[in-house]
Amino acid sequence: MAKDILRKSEVFYDNFDRKPGLDKMTTTYCPGCGHGILHKLVAEALEDFGVQDRTMFVSPVGCSVFAYYYFDVGNIQAAHGRAPAVATALKRANPESIVIDYQGDGDLAAIGGAEILNAANRGEGITVFFVNNATYGMTGGQMAPTTLIGQQTMTTPKGRTVANEGYPIKMSEIISTLKAPVYVERVMLGDVKSIRKARKSVRKAIQIQIEQNGFSFIEVLASCPSNLKKTPIDSQNWVREVLQENYPLGVYKDISAKFVSPDKSKTPVNYKDLPKVLNIEETNIDKNRIAEFTNKQFHEQFKIAGFGGQGVLSLGIVLSEMGMRHDFQVSWIPSYGPEMRGGTANCSVQLSSKNIGSPVVDRPTVLVAMNRPSIDKFEDSVAENGYIFYDSSLIDIEPQRKDINIIAIPATKIADDLGTTKVANMVIVGAIIEKLGIMSKDVVLDSIGEVIKKQKLININKRAILKGVEFIQNLTK
Amino acid sequence: MGKQFLKGNEAVVKGAILAGCTAYYGYPITPASEIAHAAAKYLPLAGGTFVQAESEVAAINMVYGAAGAGQRVMTASSGPGISLKTEGISYCAGAELPCVIVSITRGGPGLGNIGPEQSDYNQLVKGGGHGCYKTIVLAPNSVQEMCDFGLMAFDLADKYRTPVIIAADGFIGQMMEPVNFPEPVKVFPAKPWAIKGTKETRKNVISSIELDFDDLERHNIKLQKKYAIIEEQEVRYEEYRTDDAEIILVCYGIASRVVQSAIDNLRAEGIKAGMFRPITLFPFPHERISQLCDKASNFLTVEMSNGQMNDDVRLSVEGKKPVHLLSRYGGNVHTIKEIHAKVIKIMR
Ligand SMILES: Cc1ncc(C[n+]2csc(CCOP(=O)(O)OP(=O)(O)O)c2C)c(N)n1
Ligand code: SF4
């Protein structure tokens, strides 16, 4: 430890050049302010541990917003209450760094309640200094969540009441209930003795970050003479005699003896490996195999509808994926929103030899109906000379339109005969491909394995597609 | 690079990772959640960081921290979540931190619904947060552009030290199209201003507070100069059959896809319609629209909002020609038919 606690730490700037105005020597803190004392303890510890270069200090919104005038370390100023979020990202960006999260009681316990709780709960390897001065210093002495019952502030002019404001919030107690924090202690800056004690805690908290990458939380009972409207001496006495009464000092949690930080290391990836990582490597499609299909001028617009779970969305995706492998222009868009909740689903797919404008299909050239409501809803919208493929094993009515081609296919039954009704959608894929003749059956069968994620399902999907193809072939025989 | 069939929401993440994005902080919301899903899947594989934050507020402040540390970092959200992020976006703009925010706009106001809308134009383009700031806003209209802009956004963000917003609607996020992937970015700009917990960066400070009135005024003037340069250099737009167009339909995002189809139909009937699509919503292509005034007799904005972009088109047109509006709301996208009918009505 540094021998002389009164010496200005090397971690403080000699001159506070960032401070506006002519006086570059004194701080912005009022005489007797707890922030000034705590700053000294923190700076001294950072110097003694030799981590000045590695340290980044997150200053909050509150009287300590200008900590960066004083601390000669990497500095960042956070929005009101959000310092733990900022600290989280700093630490994760540079796990070797030392991150100090310094906050007041309004900042931490009121507006930033969610941020501190969750940073603590994630066990971020940061050190939190929480200054509990029972008031909002910077904005002129309003109530803080830590303000005592009966304490007069600008917003509790007759004293804080349980009825209107509730009880003071005890952050050390709350934080210590979480599993991840390593060290939680409440100290005070109430007299020389208690400051010496606080000094030890400050050091221990920083040391835990340096050596164990653990989360620690030091609540510091401190005075704000200006808003208590007391002299520095009287307000220090108040901290010792009144504030301490309400906020018992002590270690609320300490698992530092056995804490081992989870491995948070990351292995950076060479940019050359990114395509592999992102699964976007070149796929080779033999142009000869699709040549016959790429010269045709066409534009098919599909509406594919049924119950959720019948695989209507994936039916659309398979058609699209295959279209892409034929160098067509392709788009797929799901119905999403309230309809999905009701158990029905539909998607729009377009396959075209020219650019696709709107991906939305209002007038399908092909309707695939896997349940009855789909016929009811979409039959009228089908374009003249278009197609309806419907699952005749599930739908007990026939479409009425006479100006379109209607193909009844017992897809669910065919699929069931194959062993699972789940591939009824692929039976229809086969039927569409055979009927429309816009794609190569071989290419579809060969590349279905790239689209179906589960390896063991590839074969049954292939067989289902073939059954659909055969069904159409038998119809026209 | 390979070609892949995927959702807009996934494409933007892959584009970002190819751009060297190494951190994602976000909170789930439909219809933007697939962005978080893809980031959670791919970023750790690419040696990066993914954290599901406790709120959008926390997420944008984590972005602030990561950007302050010099990382290429992104977040994504929709409507209510973007509202929560605006304070943080203002801080990023004030502290001049480069970052990328993806908005997959849904129906509003309030909880609204999860359908596609363009109702957050003002919030995204006019600086939804406090203070005199702007963000670059890119409006993709295809899955390919989701990927490409995911990449480009980081370059622009670093170049100008500014947040960049990718403003898409629910449909652009949810739809799937084939994407040709660009090469990964290999060279990154130096960021000597960042803080990294090193000797070299120790003297740096990231902050948006300037207590002194004159200092803050100087800072604001500097920001405005930067925005002026962006307006000079970064305007992007697309035109479709505007050469001889008598009516120009101005639109972006999914609406522009429908309009493009409508234009073809109108042209087939001999109506000289064209489409103008701003790709950057800020900087807005005021100058080009103003030039188009010489030829076109009418403008029509086709928007899934109450005409929030219509105001910008009026500013460009300066009262020289009528600027009409065709709105849809609530998750509904215009049909080709209703666009067609509106144009016919105007042109008769
Ligand atoms: C979003 C937001 N709300 C309110 C404020 C105004 N404000 C600045 S400091 C402060 C209170 C800070 O009090 P505390 O955290 O107790 O710190 P102290 O000043 O006492 O050190 C408030 C409410 C702000 N800057 N930002
Ligand atoms: S107002 Fe209170 S907290 Fe703020 S500097 Fe003065 S004494 Fe310290």
Side-chain angles (χ1 to χ4, degrees):
Chain A
M1 281 195 205
K3 282 174 212 86
D4 184 4
I5 195 169
L6 296 173
R7 179 179 64 78
K8 195 169 176 180
S9 164
E10 294 282 323
V11 169
F12 284 134
Y13 282 111
D14 288 335
N15 297 314
F16 306 141
D17 290 333
R18 287 185 177 136
K19 191 179 162 207
L22 297 175
D23 171 13
K24 307 287 188 192
M25 296 307 286
T26 58
T27 70
T28 41
Y29 300 118
C30 310
C33 173
H35 284 304
I37 303 171
L38 182 58
H39 278 23
K40 280 186 195 143
L41 302 183
V42 173
E44 183 208 44
L46 293 173
E47 179 185 346
D48 287 355
F49 291 133
V51 292
Q52 180 176 15
D53 287 340
R54 283 163 65 193
T55 299
M56 295 189 275
F57 192 106
V58 187
S59 48
V61 172
C63 282
S64 48
V65 62
F66 298 118
Y68 64 86
Y69 291 173
Y70 318 119
F71 282 92
D72 180 4
V73 296
N75 277 288
I76 187 163
Q77 198 289 309
H80 198 18
R82 318 304 170 207
V86 174
T88 293
L90 286 175
K91 184 72 182 187
R92 288 181 182 244
N94 291 292
E96 295 301 311
S97 63
I98 303 303
V99 178
I100 305 294
D101 172 29
Y102 189 107
Q103 300 183 260
D105 42 20
D107 196 75
L108 182 140
I111 195 168
E115 282 77 8
I116 189 60
L117 209 62
N118 285 277
N121 194 50
R122 286 189 302 266
E124 302 295 344
I126 61 175
T127 307
V128 181
F129 294 112
F130 167 45
V131 177
N132 175 353
N133 58 11
T135 190
Y136 281 19
M138 185 174 225
T139 38
Q142 297 85 2
M143 184 193 73
T146 46
T147 294
L148 301 180
I149 299 298
Q151 188 183 334
Q152 286 182 337
T153 70
M154 298 304 282
T155 49
T156 52
K158 296 194 164 164
R160 179 176 184 161
T161 63
V162 172
N164 204 51
E165 288 87 19
Y167 293 98
I169 204 162
K170 300 195 166 171
M171 287 310 297
S172 291
E173 284 84 336
I174 292 172
I175 298 293
S176 64
T177 62
L178 300 173
K179 194 145 187 180
V182 174
Y183 177 49
V184 181
E185 183 172 4
R186 183 182 287 126
V187 298
M188 70 168 174
L189 309 175
D191 52 20
V192 175
K193 207 173 132 211
S194 62
I195 292 173
R196 280 193 193 285
K197 205 153 178 273
R199 181 172 180 236
K200 274 195 183 151
S201 309
V202 165
R203 300 173 77 87
K204 176 162 176 169
I206 294 174
Q207 202 164 6
I208 285 171
Q209 182 175 177
I210 296 171
E211 290 171 7
Q212 291 166 290
N213 197 23
F215 179 93
S216 41
F217 182 94
I218 305 296
E219 176 172 348
V220 183
L221 304 184
S223 60
C224 170
S226 302
N227 288 307
L228 282 173
K229 304 193 172 59
K230 293 185 196 307
T231 64
I233 300 286
D234 285 350
S235 50
Q236 219 180 43
N237 292 341
W238 181 83
V239 167
R240 195 176 61 246
E241 285 155 17
V242 182
L243 200 56
Q244 188 200 178
E245 271 289 290
N246 289 272
Y247 291 99
L249 304 186
V251 176
Y252 282 83
K253 186 173 182 196
D254 185 0
I255 55 166
S256 59
K258 54 179 192 309
F259 176 76
V260 182
S261 173
D263 182 12
K264 291 181 179 170
S265 61
K266 295 207 167 61
T267 330
V269 167
N270 190 303
Y271 74 89
K272 287 195 192 96
D273 298 326
L274 277 181
K276 187 155 182 248
V277 165
L278 296 179
N279 185 25
I280 52 173
E281 288 163 297
E282 199 81 59
T283 43
N284 279 323
I285 301 149
D286 182 354
K287 300 281 173 210
N288 291 326
R289 296 181 72 191
I290 57 169
E292 174 191 345
F293 301 93
T294 45
N295 312 326
K296 283 192 196 152
Q297 293 299 308
F298 77 101
H299 188 142
E300 295 293 355
Q301 309 199 41
F302 298 81
K303 178 68 84 180
I304 303 158
F307 290 123
Q310 281 186 304
V312 298
L313 299 186
S314 51
L315 195 164
I317 291 175
V318 167
L319 282 178
S320 311
E321 288 267 7
M322 297 308 158
M324 182 180 82
R325 282 167 178 72
H326 286 78
D327 281 351
F328 302 153
Q329 301 297 316
V330 182
S331 71
W332 174 96
I333 196 161
S335 68
Y336 71 102
E339 285 173 73
M340 298 280 285
R341 298 283 181 273
T344 68
N346 77 68
C347 63
S348 301
V349 170
Q350 304 205 29
L351 303 179
S352 181
S353 52
K354 52 182 199 321
N355 271 346
I356 294 169
S358 168
V360 182
V361 172
D362 298 323
R363 258 184 104 54
T365 58
V366 180
L367 169 65
V368 175
M370 305 272 292
N371 65 1
R372 182 166 167 175
S374 307
I375 302 261
D376 297 341
K377 189 167 175 192
F378 295 114
E379 179 179 349
D380 289 347
S381 69
V382 177
E384 225 175 284
N385 298 322
Y387 293 85
I388 295 182
F389 292 79
Y390 75 99
D391 187 340
S392 56
S393 36
L394 298 179
I395 301 173
D396 54 6
I397 51 154
E398 267 177 47
Q400 298 303 303
R401 294 267 299 270
K402 297 284 172 260
D403 57 339
I404 54 178
N405 308 292
I406 292 171
I407 292 133
I409 171 165
T412 298
K413 166 128 199 344
I414 294 173
D416 199 21
D417 291 345
L418 286 174
T420 168
T421 56
K422 283 215 176 323
V423 292
N425 58 350
M426 291 299 135
V427 175
I428 294 182
V429 167
I432 290 171
I433 287 166
E434 179 62 21
K435 187 76 195 172
L436 302 186
I438 50 174
M439 292 190 224
S440 151
K441 273 169 283 189
D442 294 341
V443 169
V444 170
L445 289 169
D446 289 352
S447 42
I448 192 75
E450 296 164 14
V451 180
I452 306 286
K453 300 268 147 57
K454 286 202 185 107
Q455 284 299 308
K456 60 172 194 216
L457 296 180
I458 294 172
N459 261 332
I460 185 138
N461 277 282
K462 270 191 194 174
R463 276 163 53 215
I465 293 173
L466 273 173
K467 283 283 176 201
V469 171
E470 281 165 21
F471 180 84
I472 298 294
Q473 286 169 345
N474 291 337
L475 275 189
T476 41
K477 253 180 208 162
Chain B
M1 254 334 111
K3 187 164 152 188
Q4 213 190 3
F5 185 68
L6 76 175
K7 275 194 180 189
N9 279 345
E10 203 174 330
V12 76
V13 172
K14 292 191 175 183
I17 294 176
L18 289 171
C21 171
T22 52
Y24 181 98
Y25 295 98
Y27 190 83
I29 184 168
T30 315
S33 289
E34 293 89 353
I35 300 181
H37 303 173
K41 179 171 171 187
Y42 293 112
L43 262 176
L45 293 176
T49 300
F50 171 88
V51 174
Q52 178 170 328
E54 54 272 29
S55 68
E56 289 85 351
V57 175
I60 190 68
N61 285 284
M62 290 173 183
V63 166
Y64 178 90
Q71 271 184 307
R72 284 194 160 185
V73 56
M74 79 187 282
T75 186
S77 193
S78 181
I82 297 290
S83 295
L84 286 182
K85 283 183 199 293
T86 50
E87 183 203 28
I89 297 172
S90 167
Y91 269 74
C92 289
E96 298 190 83
L97 291 180
C99 55
V100 174
I101 300 121
V102 186
S103 166
I104 307 295
T105 305
R106 60 186 241 165
L111 199 48
N113 68 21
I114 61 175
E117 257 192 11
Q118 300 179 320
S119 46
D120 298 347
Y121 180 96
N122 281 344
Q123 187 185 40
L124 299 169
V125 176
K126 307 289 176 179
H130 56 288
C132 295
Y133 77 91
K134 302 251 185 191
T135 56
I136 295 177
V137 183
L138 306 171
N141 82 342
S142 65
V143 178
Q144 182 69 54
E145 285 191 349
M146 282 292 266
C147 171
D148 294 346
F149 293 2
L151 199 108
M152 177 167 79
F154 283 96
D155 286 338
L156 289 171
D158 281 347
K159 182 170 174 193
Y160 294 103
R161 283 191 64 180
T162 178
V164 174
I165 291 174
I166 298 178
D169 50 75
F171 262 16
I172 297 294
Q174 293 296 322
M175 69 193 258
M176 293 176 90
E177 287 181 326
V179 172
N180 281 306
F181 285 95
E183 290 294 322
V185 175
K186 300 175 196 103
V187 192
F188 300 99
K191 297 182 179 177
W193 46 264
I195 56 164
K196 302 180 176 179
T198 58
K199 193 179 175 71
E200 298 70 43
T201 62
R202 195 179 90 200
K203 302 284 175 198
N204 291 342
V205 53
I206 310 268
S207 160
S208 61
I209 187 170
E210 290 286 0
L211 218 50
D212 182 86
F213 292 5
D214 292 333
D215 286 346
L216 187 56
E217 184 168 52
R218 267 190 292 277
H219 181 57
N220 266 286
I221 289 170
K222 179 183 157 204
L223 290 180
Q224 299 316 312
K225 278 190 184 144
K226 169 160 89 179
Y227 303 143
I229 295 172
I230 290 171
E231 291 198 71
E232 224 175 82
Q233 307 208 333
E234 303 299 345
V235 174
R236 289 168 172 80
Y237 54 83
E238 183 199 5
E239 293 181 36
Y240 184 66
R241 307 182 86 163
T242 49
D243 277 355
D244 59 343
E246 283 165 6
I247 178 163
I248 293 180
L249 284 67
V250 189
C251 48
Y252 65 99
I254 191 69
S256 68
R257 298 285 294 267
V258 187
V259 165
Q260 196 175 326
S261 297
I263 301 273
D264 290 341
N265 293 358
L266 288 160
R267 285 275 175 173
E269 289 173 25
I271 295 163
K272 289 187 176 163
M275 178 183 88
F276 184 85
R277 171 169 81 100
I279 291 175
T280 47
L281 300 179
F282 176 79
F284 194 79
H286 287 295
E287 213 177 293
R288 181 59 192 150
I289 293 181
S290 170
Q291 289 166 358
L292 289 169
C293 275
D294 298 342
K295 288 189 257 169
S297 60
N298 279 281
F299 289 81
L300 167 65
T301 68
V302 179
E303 297 181 70
M304 286 139 65
S305 83
N306 55 344
Q308 297 183 19
M309 182 185 63
N310 190 281
D311 292 349
D312 273 331
V313 176
R314 280 171 193 272
L315 278 179
S316 324
V317 169
E318 292 179 300
K320 286 181 272 188
K321 299 286 160 68
V323 182
H324 311 268
L325 168 66
L326 183 61
S327 290
R328 290 300 310 256
Y329 305 93
N332 289 312
V333 182
H334 305 80
T335 61
I336 297 172
K337 216 161 128 188
E338 67 199 16
I339 296 169
H340 189 273
K342 178 80 178 180
V343 171
I344 300 281
K345 199 168 152 208
I346 295 169
M347 298 309 281
R348 274 219 186 103

